[in-house]
Amino acid sequence: CDCGQNRYLDRSMGDCIDCPDGQVKPHSRNRTVDDYVLVEASFADKTTYYDSDLSWVGFNSSLCKTPSCGGGKYYDVVSHSCRACSSGSYSVGGSITECISCPAGSSCTAGAAMPQPCQAGTYSGAASSKCVESPPGYVTP
């Protein structure tokens, strides 16, 4: 059983609930043998071994993860993957789900981790991918 995107089975309530705020379920999957609870037991000679008690540990809140992407990327909740920021935006990385608009006076190419300040004699508006030369008679920092 799978509760669907960004949801997990709360065994105490016997119902599917949403992942905590800021967390996502990276992918859906079916139960496997790895989801069984393993119980430690021992033989008469004190050698320990693990056996399943046939209850499930999977499909609980441990399936919810805080996404993390590198600089210049954001976590796409639809594709469950890190994607590069588009031109005119940037990301310092971490657990963000959308890129930040590039501020005026700087440029952000696709996949930018930080805005690049415009050089002297150039300018840009917000969300720009490049700086352009200032018109004659205008002074820019």
Side-chain angles (χ1 to χ4, degrees), residues 71-72 85 89-93 100 102-103 106-109 111-117:
C85 293
S89 64
Y90 73 99
S91 162
V92 295
I100 302 163
C102 199
S106 60
S107 65
C108 299
T109 57
M114 292 293 293
Q116 297 301 310

Side-chain angles (χ1 to χ4, degrees), residues 74-133:
Y74 69 98
Y75 186 79
D76 185 332
V77 295
V78 175
S79 68
H80 302 289
S81 62
C82 294
R83 303 261 177 154
C85 293
S86 61
S87 294
S89 64
Y90 73 99
S91 162
V92 295
S95 61
I96 65 166
T97 55
E98 59 184 42
C99 295
I100 302 163
S101 181
C102 199
S106 60
S107 65
C108 299
T109 57
M114 292 293 293
Q116 297 301 310
C118 292
Q119 300 291 322
T122 64
Y123 74 101
S124 74
S128 292
S129 61
K130 63 182 181 176
C131 299
V132 294
E133 283 194 42

Side-chain angles (χ1 to χ4, degrees), residues 5-126:
Q5 184 174 340
N6 301 327
R7 295 174 59 82
Y8 70 95
L9 178 63
D10 184 326
R11 291 177 59 183
S12 66
M13 295 175 49
D15 197 13
C16 292
I17 62 173
D18 293 335
C19 286
D21 285 345
Q23 293 189 344
V24 296
K25 191 168 72 173
H27 51 75
S28 297
R29 66 178 180 83
N30 292 322
R31 287 181 178 158
T32 69
V33 71
D34 292 333
D35 294 319
Y36 280 116
V37 173
L38 294 179
V39 178
E40 185 176 317
S42 59
F43 294 108
D45 68 358
K46 307 275 190 223
T47 304
T48 59
Y49 66 95
Y50 294 91
D51 195 13
S52 173
D53 68 358
L54 298 181
S55 64
W56 297 101
V57 292
F59 296 37
N60 56 31
S61 61
S62 69
L63 291 178
C64 299
K65 306 287 182 201
T66 301
S68 183
C69 299
K73 298 181 178 186
Y74 69 98
Y75 186 79
D76 185 332
V77 295
V78 175
S79 68
H80 302 289
S81 62
C82 294
R83 303 261 177 154
C85 293
S86 61
S87 294
S89 64
Y90 73 99
S91 162
V92 295
S95 61
I96 65 166
T97 55
E98 59 184 42
C99 295
I100 302 163
S101 181
C102 199
S106 60
S107 65
C108 299
T109 57
M114 292 293 293
Q116 297 301 310
C118 292
Q119 300 291 322
T122 64
Y123 74 101
S124 74

